[in-house]
Each structure stands twice: as C-alpha cells, then as structure tokens.
Amino acid sequence: MTEPLLEVDDIRLSFKGVRAIDGVSFHVDEGELFAIIGPNGAGKTSIFNTINQVYVPQEGDIRWRGESLMGKRPDHIATLGIARTFQNIELFPHMTVLDNLMLGRHTQMSAGWFAGGLWLGRAKKEELENRSKVEDIIDFLEIESWRKYPVALLPYGIQKRVELGRALAMEPKLLLLDEPVAGMNLEETEDMARFILDIREELGIAMLLVEHDMGLVMDIADRVMVLDFGQKIAEGPPAQVQRNPEVIKAYLGEDFGVVAAGDDETLEASATE
Amino acid sequence: MRGRPHLFTSYEGEQSLLPTWTQRVMLALFLVLLVTIPLQFVPGVQFLGSDSWLLVLNRVMIYAIGALGINILTGLAGQVSLGHAFFMGIGAYTAVVLGAPASDRFWGMGLPIWIWLPAAGIVAAIVGIIVAPTAVRVRGLYLAIVTLGLVFIGEHLFRNLTFITGGAGLGRDWPELAFRFWKEEEPLIDFSSRGPWFGIEFSGAAKTYFFMLVLLILFTLWHKNLARTRIGRAFQSIRDRDIAAEVMGVADAKNKLRAFAISSFFAGVAGALLGALVGRLVPETWNLLLSVQFVAIILIGGAGTTAGTLLGSFFVVAIPRMVEDLTRMLSVQVRTDGPFAWLGDFIIADQGDFGLVSTVANGPGLSIFQTNLALYGFLIIIFLIFEPLGLFGVWIRIRNYWKGWPFSY
Ligand SMILES: Nc1ncnc2c1ncn2[C@@H]1O[C@H](COP(=O)(O)OP(=O)(O)O)[C@@H](O)[C@H]1O
Ligand SMILES: [Mg+2]
C-alpha cells in the first residue's frame, strides 16, 4: 500500500478552553480531492492552520509523506509543497497581481539580495523564467487585464482567483482551499469550480477543500469529511455521506439537498428579519 | 492543447527598468541636467551650481543614500526604525578609525577610501545583524521604541569613546574624499579640493558633487533592483501580511534580519560620507532628530518607492536652505521697501513688530531653525492626512492629469 500524502492523526487544539479541534483524524492521498464540510465554527479553518503550523495542536500528529510536520516553521512547510488560500483573502494588498504571483514563486527561486540587487545575469534569467510560469497561470485563470493592478483595487471575485493563482504559482503537491467560493455569485462559483476541476485534471494536484457550498462539494469531491464542534461525525464518498442520518441531523437539518450559493443570501436575509 | 490567444509573452522588454522610450529619453535628459549643474550653463538652474548650493546638493545625495536604506527597512519591509542615526554613526566612526591618520589622542589607520567606505557599510550591517534578532521580535510601535533605545545607547557610547569620536562637543577630523592606492602622499583623484579635471577648473564642492552623484546612482540601482526581485518582494509581503507571507514560504525572522542588515549598510555608508563631506562632526550629530529626518524623508517622499525617496531627500535637506534664502530675501525687501515688503512685514519679525520668523538673534518669533522644525512637522502631518503616497503620489496624479488632458477633470 502506498503511503498517503498527508496524514492527520488524532489532533486536538484548544484556545483558552475553547475546543476548536477535538480529536480529528483523516488522510489525503496523492491526486485526491478531499473535502471538509461543517457549520461555522466547526474547526475547519483551524485544521488548515495546524497543517501550516500557524497553530500547533496540543496533541496528535500531522505527517507529510510519513514525516512529522509538528514544530516545523510555516515557511519550511511551504517548501515541502503545501500551498493554501484563505477564507478571508490574505493577498498582499499593496503589491500588484504580478508581484503577488511572483511571490508565490519565492520557494522556487533562489536569487539573494546580492544577485538581485545587482541584477546579475543569474537573477535576471531566473526572473524571466519564473515570469513565464506566472504568465501561464494568469492566462489559465483569465486575469490578464488585471496583472498590473495592486490587488487591493480588484473586485472580490477576482481577488479570490488571484489568491488561487498565488497558491498555484508555488507548484504545490497539495493545495488547501478554504471556502474558495464563499460570497460569490452563481457565475463566479461556476468559474471557480471549473478552475478547481481543471487543476485536478491538468495538473493532478491533490486538494483539501473546505466549503460551505454543499452543491459544489457533492459535485467535485472524491471523499468528504463532516465536522461538527471540532469532531468528525462522518467520512466517505459524497453520495454515502449525504445519506448518513447523523449528518442530516447534525449539519444539514432541513436544508438537506443542494444549497446553491445564491440561496445563502435569502437565508441571511430571512435571518436578519 | 487549447489555443492561448491571451498568453502574454513579451515580458522580457517589460522587465527592463525603463520599458518605454519616453522614459529612457526623459531619464537621459535628467541625468545630463544633473551632470551639468556644476558647469552652470543650463538656464534656470544655474544657481544650483554655486558652491553653497552644491554643498546642499551634496548633502542631499548623502541623505538620499541613507534614505534609500531606511526605505528598504521601513518602506519595503514595513519595519519602522528610529535607529538609523545610530547605524550612520557606526559607519562614520568605522570610517574615521580606518581612514583618518592616528594621533596621540585618537585612533586612526590612515587607510584609503576603497577600504574605509565599504567597511563603514559592512561594519554597520554587522551591528545591524547583531541587534536584529532582538528587534524583529517586536513590531510596530514597539520596534520604533526599541530602535529609539539604540540611538540613546549610541549617543552615550559616542560621547564617551573619545579616542574614536573626539568626545562631546569637540569631535575630530574625518578622512578627506580622495582616492589613493595606499598611503601615498599625492592622491590619484582628489574629490574635495579645487583643481582642473580634463582641462576644466572645478571647485572642491563640484568634484565632491560628481563623486556623490556616481555613488547615488549606484545605490539607487541597487535599491531599485532589490525592490523588484525575489528578496524585495519577500520584504513587501512581510510588510503587507506577515502570516500569509510565512505560509507562502517567506522566512519571517530571516528576511527582517536581511532588511536590517541592508538598511544598516546604506546607513553606514551615508554616515561615513557625511563625516567626510563636513570634515569634522561632533558625537551629538547621530541623534534622534537625524533619525526623525529620515522617517520624514520617506513619509514626505512616499514610502516604498525609489523616486519618492529621492524626492523626499531633496525636500527635507534643501528646505532649510530655501527657508533661509527666502527669509533673507524678504528681510532685504523690508529694509529696501521692495515690492514684496508687505509679505516680509507679515512674516519677518525683526523690528519687534508682529511676525512669524526672526532673522536676528533673540528676536521675537521663531528662529530659522525652529521654523524648519515646525515646517517638517507640518509637512509630515499634511502628507499623512492628504497624500499617504507622498510626493510620489502627487507626481503620479500630475502625470495622470496630463495623460488624460484635455479630458482630465
Ligand atoms: N485564534 C483563535 N483564537 C481563539 N479562538 C479561535 C481562534 N481561531 C479559531 N478559534 C475558535 O475555534 C473554533 C473553530 O473556528 P474555525 O476553525 O475558524 O471554524 P470554521 O472554519 O469551521 O468556521 C471557533 O469556536 C473559533 O472561535
Ligand atoms: Mg473557516
């Protein structure tokens, strides 16, 4: 049996008494699209943060190809090939789209302050080569017309795309996507779903997807894990998870079925009334 | 494979520093203007070629080198430091120990400029690396306070290490700006005393001007290239979002340390040059006010941008001189009852009447020195409130206005 790419082994994380993750285990295989769903505050984002080691879980282990990630610095973990997007966009707002994507190439490049400062042949060559990779991604994500803009000026949906581009620029083996279509309209959601599927098909990158949009998850994920109050309540292929009575009770409730992104607004609207 | 009609491939040209011909021609013209200033034949800017203005310009260029340094640390990497004066002092005293002749009271080795100038930068950078691990643990205001501490420690050290610094209120002589291979009597090139170059008679200030101009161009290129390559982007990513930067693979502490070291290198070189330009400096030179001036330069100029930093340096260093010229002119107007006497009456307060600025000692109103301080403060506030992008932002707006003309609004 081949070793899984990422293995999360019974991790626990709490913040001053708040149990964010309460003994969760799962694994992601090479090339797989693994989804985590669950209500707000279930601990999904916290799981991402432990994989990056931005938060260090108090108990449990996280392994990358069999090697423990615990205690490693986030920037070291990036060099292993784990890239990520954030739920609340974390682009570098004063840098242009191009520079954000080029920053994504940081671990793939090597020029230091000396070669870079003198624009030596090596540094120049490296800039050009990596620029060509970045232009590929810009073309793939259809954001050509934005490349020279500081990202703070871009519309929300485009920023989400740029953030995906920045993660892709790292040429990752595993891509962590935290609610990539949150707050998007139907058309933007469809575009993003298409990109995610293309990434899997053309590049074969394994993905860990956290998403609120049930419809999207059920459509594209290989396996789904359902999280509630920091605990795993179900795991399996989408069709199976969908039928799990516990899941229906704990998470889906009456809204069981396809929840389109557009419906969120009506839900919120009725909630505020 | 699908067709890719939008794939952008002509970025090689775009990646040069000056992508368009207009930019190249403008810069070339500007450089010609700069080079010819001491020759005093371009109408309109002839006054800049006078020795007293050249002295101001030389100081502008030295400050600009220092300011490019702090722009790397504060403008690019986002670490606000008030310790720049300290690092300039370290560079200046490295230069004086290595470059000035020894005497029975002072240390000195009498080594040539090609040793003491780079060494000033390197030693300052090493000191930067030593203090950085403490400094990078804290951020924002706390970092400003920690680095402020450096200036006070420095002032204390500089006052007391009299065999290096000459002691409080006295100081000592810096090595002159001249190129020697080793310790020979006659320098190969003398950058600081009157004499002919290529058959043209130049004053010492003019020669120093050319020397500083070459150095400033080199440092500007280094800064610009650094900012647009891997390390410069890493600095900016830390400034914008440090956690995200780490998750993208940018080592936080290591890059902050790098920024500190590079910035201190620039500061050290600027400090050494300032000493050599002025000839004799007291240890009190490297004080908080000097650090604040550098923060003012990048705030007024536009933090992060190379052009803004240069503009800001000119502004901050040349303004006192302009204020001086202006008040002197106005006071002449008052005395001779010229056409601007009314303005002079309003501003100058020499004869005990109402006025803002006084040109005589102990007169009513502010001294010229105080006026300058007030003016810095005023400008910093104005820029922070109305134009966070500084002079650079003003320039961009003017440019965009003319680009759109006559349809600009
Ligand atoms: N930095 C933090 N400090 C304190 N509590 C946190 C922090 N991050 C997350 N939490 C808490 O952990 C729980 C899980 O949060 P999160 O992982 O963001 O959930 P999800 O992404 O599933 O909505 C929540 O109760 C949240 O308040
Ligand atoms: Mg979340």
Side-chain angles (χ1 to χ4, degrees):
Chain A
M1 202 188 101
T2 58
E3 206 165 34
L5 197 59
L6 178 80
E7 226 177 333
V8 172
D9 188 1
D10 199 21
I11 54 169
R12 277 161 222 272
L13 173 76
S14 46
F15 300 100
K16 300 193 183 90
V18 181
R19 291 224 152 168
I21 310 173
D22 194 5
V24 169
S25 305
F26 63 93
H27 70 269
V28 182
D29 287 322
E30 206 96 44
E32 188 182 28
L33 204 170
F34 186 84
I36 304 178
I37 59 173
N40 266 330
K44 305 180 296 292
T45 300
S46 297
I47 290 181
F48 276 18
N49 282 330
T50 59
I51 296 171
N52 287 132
Q53 292 286 299
V54 173
Y55 299 159
V56 182
Q58 283 90 5
E59 283 174 54
D61 195 11
I62 300 171
R63 286 182 293 273
W64 175 254
R65 294 180 161 154
E67 185 197 343
S68 177
L69 295 182
M70 302 296 286
K72 295 216 154 64
R73 281 204 324 262
D75 57 272
H76 174 79
I77 288 168
T79 63
L80 299 176
I82 301 181
R84 147 162 201 199
T85 68
F86 297 81
Q87 184 174 350
N88 308 305
I89 302 169
E90 297 271 353
L91 287 167
F92 307 114
H94 301 106
M95 296 165 69
T96 61
V97 170
L98 263 176
D99 278 347
N100 267 274
L101 266 62
M102 285 297 280
L103 191 278
R105 305 285 307 161
H106 186 81
T107 56
Q108 308 285 327
M109 298 169 76
S110 66
W113 58 272
F114 189 73
L118 299 183
W119 196 239
L120 294 176
R122 194 161 47 83
K124 185 178 171 186
K125 190 158 151 266
E126 190 185 66
E127 282 290 317
L128 281 175
E129 283 167 4
N130 284 278
R131 178 71 186 272
S132 113
K133 294 258 164 64
V134 161
E135 290 292 348
D136 267 349
I137 293 168
I138 286 177
D139 181 59
F140 168 68
L141 294 175
E142 297 158 22
I143 45 178
E144 295 85 2
S145 50
W146 304 100
R147 67 154 86 64
K148 289 285 178 66
Y149 286 83
V151 294
L153 302 179
L154 308 187
Y156 177 83
I158 300 296
Q159 291 197 14
K160 279 271 190 197
R161 248 191 241 184
V162 174
E163 210 189 20
L164 176 63
R166 185 181 65 176
L168 281 180
M170 293 172 71
E171 291 186 34
K173 316 239 164 32
L174 175 67
L175 189 54
L176 313 181
L177 301 173
D178 199 347
E179 308 207 11
V181 302
M184 286 187 167
N185 64 32
L186 200 56
E187 193 190 331
E188 289 169 328
T189 303
E190 278 171 1
D191 281 342
M192 189 57 89
R194 181 163 52 86
F195 291 133
I196 293 173
L197 287 173
D198 280 355
I199 290 168
R200 191 161 65 139
E201 263 163 43
E202 289 183 22
L203 307 171
I205 299 172
M207 270 181 271
L208 186 52
L209 171 72
V210 159
E211 193 41 75
H212 237 69
D213 188 332
M214 284 288 293
L216 181 75
V217 169
M218 295 306 168
D219 277 350
I220 67 177
D222 296 318
R223 284 188 302 137
V224 181
M225 171 171 87
V226 186
L227 211 60
D228 197 13
F229 293 111
Q231 291 178 329
K232 171 156 89 177
I233 57 174
E235 186 187 317
Q240 190 185 321
V241 166
Q242 237 167 346
R243 271 185 268 107
N244 185 320
E246 183 125 13
V247 175
I248 298 172
K249 188 162 98 263
Y251 173 50
L252 302 171
E254 292 147 40
D255 289 328
F256 174 63
V258 180
V259 183
D263 292 351
D264 281 354
E265 281 169 22
T266 44
L267 278 180
E268 270 165 34
S270 55
T272 50
E273 271 167 18
Chain B
M1 179 146 175
R2 75 196 160 107
R4 311 177 76 181
H6 300 293
L7 182 64
F8 187 76
T9 49
S10 52
Y11 39 81
E12 182 149 5
E14 200 181 89
Q15 229 146 357
S16 67
L17 270 183
L18 301 163
T20 69
W21 273 105
T22 331
Q23 282 170 314
R24 278 173 220 168
V25 171
M26 294 293 276
L27 185 74
L29 285 177
F30 184 62
L31 280 179
V32 169
L33 177 74
L34 287 182
V35 169
T36 54
I37 277 178
L39 303 172
Q40 292 190 294
F41 63 63
V42 180
V45 293
Q46 276 154 333
F47 73 99
L48 288 174
S50 68
D51 269 8
S52 72
W53 260 102
L54 281 178
L55 217 60
V56 174
L57 293 183
N58 288 341
R59 191 181 273 262
V60 166
M61 291 191 279
I62 292 172
Y63 271 58
I65 292 172
L68 288 170
I70 195 140
N71 191 50
I72 288 170
L73 185 62
T74 306
L76 293 181
Q79 311 298 306
V80 177
S81 164
L82 289 174
H84 219 50
F86 169 74
F87 293 109
M88 289 179 76
I90 297 286
Y93 291 121
T94 304
V96 84
V97 166
L98 291 177
S103 71
D104 45 353
R105 287 194 298 137
F106 303 137
W107 286 5
M109 299 164 88
L111 297 171
I113 193 168
W114 58 266
I115 295 180
W116 63 253
L117 191 54
I122 291 167
V123 172
I126 291 171
V127 175
I129 290 170
I130 293 169
V131 300
T134 319
V136 301
R137 273 169 218 276
V138 293
R139 33 176 112 183
L141 195 57
Y142 297 102
L143 177 61
I145 292 167
V146 167
T147 50
L148 176 65
L150 278 180
V151 175
F152 292 137
I153 294 170
E155 271 196 278
H156 180 75
L157 281 177
F158 297 155
R159 262 200 309 270
N160 290 298
L161 299 174
T162 47
F163 49 94
I164 293 176
T165 67
L170 295 168
R172 65 181 284 195
D173 291 338
W174 255 258
E176 58 189 18
L177 292 169
F179 187 90
R180 287 180 171 81
F181 285 111
W182 196 239
K183 297 181 180 179
E184 64 266 23
E185 203 48 42
E186 277 301 306
L188 185 71
I189 314 169
D190 190 338
F191 297 109
S192 56
S193 48
R194 171 172 289 280
W197 266 358
F198 306 110
I200 307 172
E201 184 80 5
F202 285 110
S203 68
K207 289 178 163 182
T208 307
Y209 174 87
F210 290 120
F211 178 66
M212 295 300 171
L213 188 59
V214 170
L215 279 183
L216 178 59
I217 289 172
L218 292 178
F219 275 96
T220 303
L221 283 174
W222 183 11
H223 178 278
K224 187 91 195 159
N225 283 329
L226 185 76
R228 70 197 181 114
T229 48
R230 177 169 174 267
I231 301 298
R233 282 189 298 265
F235 289 171
Q236 295 171 64
S237 72
I238 290 172
R239 173 197 65 195
D240 278 7
R241 291 251 191 279
D242 51 355
I243 305 271
E246 274 194 282
V247 170
M248 303 307 296
V250 177
D252 190 66
K254 189 167 149 193
N255 279 292
K256 284 181 184 167
L257 185 133
R258 253 190 207 134
F260 250 98
I262 299 173
S263 152
S264 303
F265 182 92
F266 280 59
V269 169
L273 290 173
L274 191 63
L277 178 78
V278 180
R280 188 183 187 94
L281 288 173
V282 294
E284 290 83 356
T285 308
W286 321 105
N287 61 9
L288 181 61
L289 181 64
L290 186 64
S291 284
V292 170
Q293 275 187 311
F294 280 96
V295 176
I297 286 175
I298 55 171
L299 283 182
I300 291 175
T305 61
T306 313
T309 307
L310 300 179
L311 269 175
S313 306
F314 180 80
F315 218 66
V316 166
V317 180
I319 266 192
R321 174 56 202 258
M322 291 185 196
V323 169
E324 213 175 294
D325 280 5
L326 207 69
T327 38
R328 201 175 299 132
M329 197 194 84
L330 285 176
S331 108
V332 169
Q333 288 274 321
V334 172
R335 255 182 282 124
T336 58
D337 225 3
F340 290 104
W342 57 274
L343 191 62
D345 269 338
F346 182 66
I347 293 180
I348 311 268
D350 280 356
Q351 286 88 27
D353 57 342
F354 172 80
L356 282 173
V357 185
S358 155
T359 51
V360 295
N362 300 323
L366 303 171
S367 70
I368 290 182
F369 177 72
Q370 289 166 328
T371 311
N372 282 327
L373 278 187
L375 214 60
Y376 286 150
F378 179 70
L379 284 173
I380 290 175
I381 292 168
I382 291 292
F383 274 107
L384 279 182
I385 295 175
F386 296 109
E387 184 54 81
L389 290 177
L391 288 172
F392 184 74
V394 174
W395 155 244
I396 294 289
R397 267 201 256 156
I398 294 172
R399 198 186 64 184
N400 288 349
Y401 179 89
W402 285 109
K403 256 190 191 165
W405 196 85
F407 301 109
S408 39
Y409 42 88

